[in-house]
Amino acid sequence: MAIPWMSARLPGWRAWKSLRIRKLKLSFVAIHYIYIILCIFVGAVLMILPGNTGMKFVDALFFASGAATQSGLNTIDVNKINTYQQIVIYFLPFITTPIFIHTMVVVVRIYWFEKRLNHIVEEARKNALHRVSSRSRTSLHRTRSRPGTRDAELGERYEKNGGRVKKSTIQFINAEPSSRPGFAPEHDELDGITETNPGDLSRQISGEHIKFAPTVISEGATPAVEHAETQSVNEGTAGESVFRGRRRSLSRRLSFETGRTRSRSRSPSPPAPYLSYIPQVGKNSQFLELTTEQRNELGGIEYRALKLLLVILILYYVVIHVLGVIVLVPWILKSGKYGPIVTDFGINKVWWAIYTSMTTFNDVGFTLTPDSFISFQQAAFTLLFCAVLIVAGNTGFPLFLRLFIWIAFKLCPDAYINTQDSLHFLLDHPRRCFTLLFPSRPTWWLFGILIFLNIADTILFLVLDLQTPVVESIPVGHRIVNALFQAVSTRTSGTASVPIGSLHPGIQVSYLVMMYISVLPLAISIRRTNVYEDLSLGVWRDPSESAPAAPSSDEGSYIKAHVRRQLEFDLWYVFLGLFLISVVEGRRIADASDYAFTTFSVFFEVVSAYGTVGLSLGYPGMNASLSGAFTAFSKVVIIAMEVRGRHRGLPYDLDRAVLLPESGSQAGSTGDVATPAPGLVRSLSREGRERELRRVKSK
């Protein structure tokens, strides 16, 4: 509300205030911060709401922060809080995990597609109906062949001609013109193509003599949209424009088919078989030089892909949670060895299984048993199954998601052509639809990095702790299982099957490093597949100059730039948190008799909070993290580290997965221009806008 005397004395106050309001646009990262912080405060209030819980508000805030950020550090033994409070920190991670939040982004994008881009939604529906009806009409003329049959026939012709393919005479099956101007006919309209002698290249249609020049495609040529140069058409004919349009479209399709035949053995698949045109695709799925109709068609397939992706994400999120419960409940109920252990802690067996499934898949780290998984050191099946849940809910989620989509695409019946197209689009251009879904090459890169880190952690655990009493007492077979479980948990959930404070100092340092770099594989995969990260790194490349694939040296330099910036960016926060806690807890750190309260243990706790892992060296006499021995101010610092660390894996700048295709026509044919979803993303930097403006004006 404006202050009256200020408005009277300062005439520009109202204009300044109006300008400030108009410029106040929250970015996706800002909304993410607000949402996480709001969930933390709501969770803290809910935990102390019943009253007489004996829990201080700062401890409730600490628990809520650990649940909302998936850090899992605790100041009080989880087993000692009441069931109601356990239920609060059980449900809070469900609505704050990266999978849930990025799924909500998909929901918002679908909503804005339907609300703001009605023409694209309608176009998507028409395209879907057109493709289905086209397949139905085709089935009346011939028995539909298996995928690849037409490619095999073209391949045989290619081999018979000695590696040279000649265009064939084209016979039309359907005479009616396409109802969508600018769009090519479907694949099935090409089934009337027959091959004749090269000399017989003329055909009379309604008095028109059309001659096709025998264009020769040499071996190794890149398939592209082709236009015949020689044609003789009697002027004044009524069907001239219609036939020209059909001829260009069919020429495009013929080129597409012949290119796909060669690609089976020599090159990748065509860029977009789910579109009626062959697009020019730049870096990170940026479509270039699109007309308005082509952009609308692209938006239509993207809209259908988003709707299918939403179903897949919901199924993934629900099925994995349910699977964990289905597996762990019978196991703990029938286990004569571990069932009594859970009962002795005063925990219901079914509740333990339900809670453990949640805390491992959501990578929270809270456990109802006070010693985490130490009581289950020799339960090989449980440790391995929980390790799979941990991977599936965090760093391995992009791998499992793409694998699921790929399997669904391969198994999808040919009758469901629209579903096939949507799955194919998700595989070809994943970062247009979802932040945590990557193309094939970055996915394999992420898989290799995860395998390398897990193997390295496992080997270090087995080698450095050969003579450590707490590890030496475990049988060799179970020791390997514990090493693998600890390697998986170190960078994600923070659960422990061995007491971390009793391990070799070298393995403690290695765990500290792993916690610090825990987000790097996923964060770098996100940023290397986001075209707008070039601006944030100060690297600008005109989209028209994009190459299909960068050389390995350029790719390595690009990744190194991201890693360097990430490490430099994080160090300030980590050492600031360490400095503040060291100042407040200085007397205890300096006390030599308090051997468990050292600078290294505090540093370990800060890095664990910032990495949202949850591992802790602990403190004697309490089944909680070292944070339980901190003062209130130090606990608040740890909470701040958790909140900041929760956002370190998000993109620096605009992300394709939270953008919408442009609703207007101002882009013309300049390319795949996108408009941010209102309230989700921020605008480009000033330098980026100026460069983009100069690029557009130069066209």
Side-chain angles (χ1 to χ4, degrees):
M1 183 176 68
I3 303 176
W5 65 267
M6 183 177 292
S7 300
R9 296 187 180 184
L10 300 176
W13 164 256
R14 292 183 179 178
W16 178 85
K17 180 183 177 183
S18 176
L19 181 63
R20 292 286 294 178
I21 293 176
R22 286 197 299 268
K23 287 187 175 182
L24 184 60
K25 292 183 179 180
L26 296 178
S27 66
F28 172 70
V29 176
I31 293 177
H32 201 285
Y33 266 107
I34 294 172
Y35 178 74
I36 294 295
I37 294 174
L38 181 63
C39 288
I40 291 174
F41 276 97
V42 171
V45 171
L46 290 175
M47 291 194 71
I48 64 172
L49 192 60
N52 300 324
T53 59
M55 179 183 292
K56 298 179 180 178
F57 181 74
V58 66
D59 292 323
L61 202 65
F62 202 97
F63 265 111
S65 175
T69 62
Q70 292 80 52
S71 66
L73 293 173
N74 58 312
T75 56
I76 303 174
D77 185 1
V78 179
N79 192 32
K80 292 183 179 179
I81 63 178
N82 58 48
T83 305
Y84 165 77
Q85 293 170 327
Q86 292 175 0
I87 293 175
V88 172
I89 60 176
Y90 172 82
F91 283 105
L92 190 57
F94 276 96
I95 61 173
T96 55
T97 59
I99 299 177
F100 178 86
I101 291 179
H102 290 297
T103 301
M104 289 300 100
V105 173
V106 175
V107 174
V108 172
R109 294 194 69 207
I110 294 175
Y111 168 78
W112 282 105
F113 259 112
E114 295 177 347
K115 183 177 180 180
R116 297 286 297 275
L117 308 177
N118 295 327
H119 64 289
I120 289 182
V121 175
E122 187 64 25
E123 185 69 29
R125 294 171 180 170
K126 290 181 179 179
N127 290 348
L129 293 175
H130 181 78
R131 292 181 67 82
V132 173
S133 61
S134 177
R135 287 296 176 100
S136 301
R137 290 195 305 268
T138 304
S139 63
L140 297 177
H141 293 279
R142 62 180 175 86
T143 302
R144 192 171 179 276
S145 61
R146 297 290 299 172
T149 302
R150 186 167 45 189
D151 296 336
E153 294 174 357
L154 289 174
E156 293 177 0
R157 299 173 190 175
Y158 177 81
E159 296 295 338
K160 291 179 180 178
N161 289 326
R164 300 167 64 86
V165 178
K166 294 184 178 181
K167 282 186 178 178
S168 306
T169 301
I170 298 177
Q171 298 177 358
F172 296 96
I173 291 179
N174 300 319
E176 71 272 7
S178 175
S179 60
R180 296 178 294 161
F183 287 81
E186 301 298 331
H187 287 277
D188 300 318
E189 296 179 358
L190 292 170
D191 297 328
I193 298 177
T194 59
E195 195 165 24
T196 61
N197 297 327
D200 186 16
L201 294 173
S202 62
R203 176 183 175 216
Q204 184 171 353
I205 302 178
S206 302
E208 299 175 359
H209 295 278
I210 312 298
K211 293 183 178 181
F212 286 2
T215 305
V216 178
I217 303 176
S218 60
E219 183 175 1
T222 303
V225 180
E226 300 175 1
H227 301 278
E229 297 295 337
T230 60
Q231 60 179 349
S232 174
V233 182
N234 293 336
E235 300 295 338
T237 58
E240 178 182 2
S241 59
V242 174
F243 183 77
R244 285 181 177 177
R246 275 191 174 274
R247 184 184 170 199
R248 285 194 298 268
S249 300
L250 287 170
S251 177
R252 178 187 298 116
R253 283 300 183 184
L254 183 60
S255 175
F256 172 81
E257 291 292 341
T258 54
R260 188 171 66 175
T261 303
R262 291 196 305 273
S263 68
R264 293 287 177 137
S265 58
R266 293 183 175 87
S267 61
S269 300
Y274 33 77
L275 296 174
S276 63
Y277 57 92
I278 300 181
Q280 180 184 356
V281 183
K283 179 183 176 183
N284 295 335
S285 298
Q286 188 180 26
F287 287 73
L288 308 175
E289 303 296 336
L290 299 181
T291 64
T292 302
E293 293 81 2
Q294 291 172 343
R295 192 182 303 110
N296 289 341
E297 185 183 1
L298 175 62
I301 183 64
E302 186 172 345
Y303 169 73
R304 297 202 308 270
L306 284 172
K307 294 184 69 175
L308 179 61
L309 177 63
L310 179 60
V311 176
I312 295 174
L313 291 172
I314 294 175
L315 287 176
Y316 184 92
Y317 204 53
V318 173
V319 169
I320 300 298
H321 276 105
V322 174
L323 178 64
V325 175
I326 292 176
V327 172
L328 292 179
V329 168
W331 178 83
I332 195 64
L333 289 177
K334 295 182 178 180
S335 176
K337 179 179 180 180
Y338 297 101
I341 294 178
V342 174
T343 305
D344 292 341
F345 285 128
I347 307 169
N348 181 274
K349 295 180 182 180
V350 176
W351 176 233
W352 174 88
I354 295 174
Y355 197 92
T356 301
S357 173
M358 180 280 301
T359 196
T360 50
F361 179 67
N362 293 332
D363 297 311
V364 179
F366 292 146
T367 57
L368 298 180
T369 50
D371 59 353
S372 192
F373 278 82
I374 297 177
S375 298
F376 303 92
Q377 282 182 347
Q378 299 186 25
F381 170 76
T382 302
L383 292 180
L384 292 177
F385 179 74
C386 290
V388 173
L389 291 180
I390 291 170
V391 173
N394 194 271
T395 51
F397 169 67
L399 308 179
F400 284 94
L401 181 60
R402 183 173 179 87
L403 177 63
F404 180 82
I405 295 175
W406 181 81
I407 293 175
F409 174 69
K410 293 297 183 180
L411 299 180
C412 182
D414 295 331
Y416 299 93
I417 181 62
N418 294 321
T419 303
Q420 277 188 346
D421 288 345
S422 299
L423 292 171
H424 200 168
F425 185 85
L426 289 173
L427 292 174
D428 286 352
H429 309 287
R431 290 291 277 112
R432 293 184 66 93
C433 302
F434 195 59
T435 309
L436 300 178
L437 183 61
F438 310 130
S440 177
R441 185 176 178 183
T443 302
W444 281 108
W445 179 87
L446 177 62
F447 175 75
I449 292 296
L450 295 182
I451 293 296
F452 171 77
L453 293 178
N454 287 326
I455 292 177
D457 271 346
T458 303
I459 294 176
L460 288 175
F461 181 91
L462 296 174
V463 172
L464 296 179
D465 285 311
L466 281 176
Q467 298 180 350
T468 304
V470 295
V471 177
E472 195 175 12
S473 61
I474 306 175
V476 176
H478 293 289
R479 191 184 308 173
I480 296 175
V481 174
N482 279 264
L484 181 60
F485 176 82
Q486 206 58 59
V488 170
S489 178
T490 298
R491 298 184 313 278
T492 50
S493 69
T495 50
S497 61
V498 291
I500 304 299
S502 302
L503 297 179
H504 190 279
I507 200 67
Q508 293 177 0
V509 173
S510 71
Y511 283 172
L512 186 145
V513 174
M514 289 298 175
M515 289 190 299
Y516 181 69
I517 67 173
S518 59
V519 76
L520 286 185
L522 198 57
I524 300 306
S525 297
I526 292 175
R527 289 165 186 168
R528 69 183 290 202
T529 54
N530 178 17
V531 67
Y532 298 99
E533 292 299 330
D534 290 344
L535 293 173
S536 65
L537 286 175
V539 180
W540 174 262
R541 176 183 294 177
D542 194 316
S544 62
E545 301 174 359
S546 301
S552 57
S553 58
D554 295 342
E555 183 76 7
S557 301
Y558 193 72
I559 295 175
K560 289 178 182 178
H562 280 298
V563 173
R564 182 168 57 252
R565 172 161 182 168
Q566 181 73 57
L567 296 178
E568 294 172 352
F569 188 73
D570 291 338
L571 284 175
W572 290 101
Y573 292 94
V574 172
F575 282 102
L576 177 61
L578 176 63
F579 172 76
L580 293 176
I581 295 178
S582 298
V583 170
V584 176
E585 309 289 348
R587 291 185 178 181
R588 299 190 62 181
I589 294 175
D591 187 1
S593 61
D594 198 354
Y595 63 91
F597 209 104
T598 62
T599 303
F600 178 76
S601 62
V602 173
F603 186 37
F604 195 94
E605 196 85 357
V606 170
V607 173
S608 179
Y610 193 79
T612 65
V613 176
L615 283 181
S616 177
L617 298 180
Y619 192 77
M622 56 186 298
N623 291 319
S625 306
L626 179 65
S627 300
F630 286 172
T631 60
F633 179 81
S634 299
K635 293 177 182 178
V636 173
V637 173
I638 293 295
I639 293 174
M641 293 293 103
E642 292 174 345
V643 174
R644 175 62 192 89
R646 174 64 177 81
H647 296 81
R648 65 195 293 236
L650 297 179
Y652 293 128
D653 216 311
L654 287 173
D655 191 271
R656 168 69 66 187
V658 292
L659 294 179
L660 295 175
E662 187 177 32
S663 57
S665 58
Q666 67 215 38
S669 60
T670 59
D672 177 30
V673 183
T675 300
L680 280 182
V681 293
R682 64 178 178 231
S683 60
L684 294 172
S685 61
R686 180 178 179 182
E687 294 79 2
R689 290 196 302 269
E690 292 175 351
R691 289 167 180 160
E692 180 67 15
L693 183 61
R694 289 197 298 269
R695 184 186 70 83
V696 174
K697 287 183 177 180
S698 64
K699 288 187 176 292

